Amino acid sequence: MAQTSGKDIRNQLQLRGHNAPALSFNDMMKLELKKAFPAIKSVVPNHMTPERMARIALTTISRTPALAECTPASIIGAVMNCAILGLEPNLIGHAYLVPFYNSKTKTREAQFVIGYKGYIDLVRRTGDVSSIYAHEVCQKDEFDYCYGLKKDLRHKPAEGERGHVTHYYACYHLKDGAYDFVVMTRAEVEAHRDKYSKAKQFGPWVDNFDEMAKKTCIRKLIKFMPISIEVAEQLAKDEAVLTPRKDNGIESSDIFDVEFSDVSEPIEEVAGPQEEDQDQPKDTLL
């Protein structure tokens, strides 16, 4: 069954009341978010208010014009997943709403993508990890690492001009003293991107390559971390298209139809992380 895009819905609304002024995409999504607000309120974690999540989501949508061609259901699904995970979209690198063309459904959809800071935040919430971090290594830095029975990593960034980036790494330390790390060369990161990413020439990989490279290291590192099944399930939603179900099963944590679109192409415009508008009132409803 074909899905309806934001443009189609606007056209339908205008046909119903042709004397009424044209409804902008932002106004339409504002109405959609108001309808979804009870659901957002029911799932948002304690460290974030539903008003803040709705406001940030609307700001993100307004700053990403290409989302206007996506199905509203996929946009709301991505926002809902941000709410469930407590990750702010497109502001501080927690998560992104990336527009894609789904060649299977012949529609444009919003894909939910977790940023590297989002990965760090989710892992820290487990309570077992005392610290987790990732860094880039530049040509003039002092850098050395060793795998084997006695793993060791030493990185001293150079002062001033550090040169081009050569490596990326991610480390974690558990509260019991255990630790581990993963190191990747820039070439290895690029090879991973080219093999697995549908947006290697567009989106966060272009606008924020270093952030996505750190995320790649963290994803590899997480495979060896003692994390809960719940966190693993949350991270599994990364780079998925999520659509809220029509049965309104809000009480359940499984309120999405999830599809991992394996044949998708990026649209030619997406907003990267933006600084939050300081002039906007905090935590106010849409």
Side-chain angles (χ1 to χ4, degrees):
M1 182 177 179
Q3 299 189 54
T4 306
S5 69
K7 181 184 292 185
D8 293 334
I9 291 179
R10 289 200 304 275
N11 292 338
Q12 291 173 14
L13 291 172
Q14 291 171 31
L15 287 174
R16 291 177 188 174
H18 48 271
N19 292 326
L23 187 67
S24 70
F25 173 71
N26 288 343
D27 288 339
M28 182 187 69
M29 289 310 305
K30 188 174 181 178
L31 293 175
E32 292 293 324
L33 282 169
K34 280 188 175 181
K35 289 193 294 184
F37 186 79
I40 294 174
K41 186 176 181 179
S42 70
V43 299
V44 72
N46 293 332
H47 71 272
M48 178 180 291
T49 66
E51 291 84 3
R52 176 178 173 80
M53 174 57 70
R55 178 175 57 80
I56 291 174
L58 187 61
T59 299
T60 299
I61 292 169
S62 66
R63 291 178 175 177
T64 314
L67 286 173
E69 303 300 322
C70 296
T71 61
S74 67
I75 298 174
I76 296 300
V79 172
M80 281 293 297
N81 208 49
C82 287
I84 290 174
L85 301 185
L87 301 177
E88 298 182 354
N90 289 39
L91 287 176
I92 58 175
H94 272 182
Y96 303 93
L97 310 183
V98 182
F100 274 86
Y101 178 75
N102 188 329
S103 58
K104 287 184 176 180
T105 62
K106 308 299 181 183
T107 57
R108 302 187 190 278
E109 298 172 327
Q111 186 182 46
F112 173 74
V113 177
I114 303 176
Y116 99 95
K117 292 181 180 178
Y119 266 78
I120 289 176
D121 190 31
L122 290 172
V123 171
R124 281 176 174 168
R125 293 182 207 168
T126 63
D128 297 323
V129 179
S130 61
S131 66
I132 178 170
Y133 49 89
H135 292 288
E136 69 273 15
V137 180
C138 297
Q139 188 179 24
K140 297 180 181 180
D141 295 353
E142 294 182 23
F143 181 66
D144 189 30
Y145 67 98
C146 176
Y147 290 123
L149 294 177
K150 294 183 179 181
K151 290 187 174 183
D152 190 27
L153 184 149
R154 181 177 179 273
H155 178 210
K156 183 178 180 181
E159 296 183 358
E161 176 57 43
R162 297 169 59 193
H164 64 269
V165 177
T166 60
H167 297 74
Y168 298 89
Y169 67 89
C171 305
Y172 74 79
H173 295 264
L174 301 181
K175 291 183 178 179
D176 63 6
Y179 68 91
D180 203 352
F181 63 85
V182 165
V183 178
M184 298 181 70
T185 66
R186 183 182 176 94
E188 288 172 335
V189 171
E190 291 173 344
H192 177 94
R193 174 204 60 189
D194 294 344
K195 182 176 181 180
Y196 295 107
S197 175
K198 297 185 287 292
K200 61 184 178 181
Q201 296 179 337
F202 184 75
W205 273 113
V206 174
D207 299 333
N208 301 281
F209 182 90
D210 288 344
E211 309 297 306
M212 294 299 288
K214 295 172 189 177
K215 170 185 169 179
T216 301
C217 291
I218 291 174
R219 290 181 70 169
K220 291 189 66 174
L221 185 66
I222 285 176
K223 295 179 181 179
F224 308 104
M225 292 181 65
I227 60 175
S228 66
I229 295 176
E230 289 76 15
V231 173
E233 289 176 346
Q234 290 174 344
L235 295 176
K237 291 188 176 74
D238 188 21
E239 299 186 13
V241 173
L242 305 104
T243 304
R245 289 179 179 160
K246 295 181 180 180
D247 57 10
N248 198 30
I250 300 303
E251 289 76 12
S252 170
S253 61
D254 183 17
I255 62 174
F256 294 112
D257 291 321
V258 182
E259 179 181 353
F260 294 86
S261 303
D262 56 357
V263 184
S264 298
E265 298 176 0
I267 302 173
E268 295 180 355
E269 185 174 4
V270 66
Q274 302 285 341
E275 293 297 326
E276 188 171 353
D277 189 349
Q278 299 298 321
D279 294 330
Q280 281 191 290
K282 306 300 182 184
D283 296 336
T284 55
L285 188 56
L286 295 173

